[in-house]
Every structure is written in structure tokens, then in C-alpha cells.
Amino acid sequence: MGKQLSRRSLMKGAVSGAVAAAIVPLAAAQEKKPADANIDRRLAETEKKLAKPLTPEARKLTREALKAVEKSMADRLKTKLPENSEPCILYVATEHKR
């Protein structure tokens, strides 16, 4: 005789299948998002904090600097560490918002 499924195991299978089906389109949508949109967003946020708008030359230099930061962050995550080693940790001070 075949093994009888319980409601709990049936629901687990259905939920895991639904999650797997939802993850694939989300991953594809994230891959299509251009990196320049993220840089433009960060540049706009930075410019809002300034007293005066950036000049076109300063905006170009800032965009290149942000691209370099994004690239170095991605390259840093590609580095594989040997087993039982401690990574170098960089603590970044952030402003506490009340």
C-alpha cells in the first residue's frame, strides 16, 4: 500500500513549491535592474543633503566614485577565505536618528 499523506506534510509540500515558483521570477527581475539606477538613486539622495546642487563636472566625478565603490564591494565579496580564518571587519560609524 502507498504511504498516506498527512495534511501537514501536504501543506509543507504545497508551500515549498509555491515559494520555489515565486523565487525564480523575483531573481530574474532583480537581474534585469540596471546598476546605474541604483547609482542614480544614491546620487540623488546625496545631492538632496547638500546646500547647493552639484555642478555637472562634480556630478560626473561623484557618479564615477559611486561606481567604483559598488565595484569594490562586489569584488570584496568574491574573495574566498581559507577555513578557520577571521575576516577583516570594517566598522562604519553611522548617525543615530532619534
Side-chain angles (χ1 to χ4, degrees), residues 30-56:
Q30 287 178 349
E31 288 176 8
K32 292 178 184 177
K33 184 177 180 181
D36 288 340
N38 186 30
I39 291 173
D40 289 337
R41 180 186 54 80
R42 289 179 60 191
L43 183 62
E45 288 173 0
T46 303
E47 200 166 5
K48 284 180 188 176
K49 296 176 185 178
L50 301 175
K52 298 179 188 175
L54 293 173
T55 63

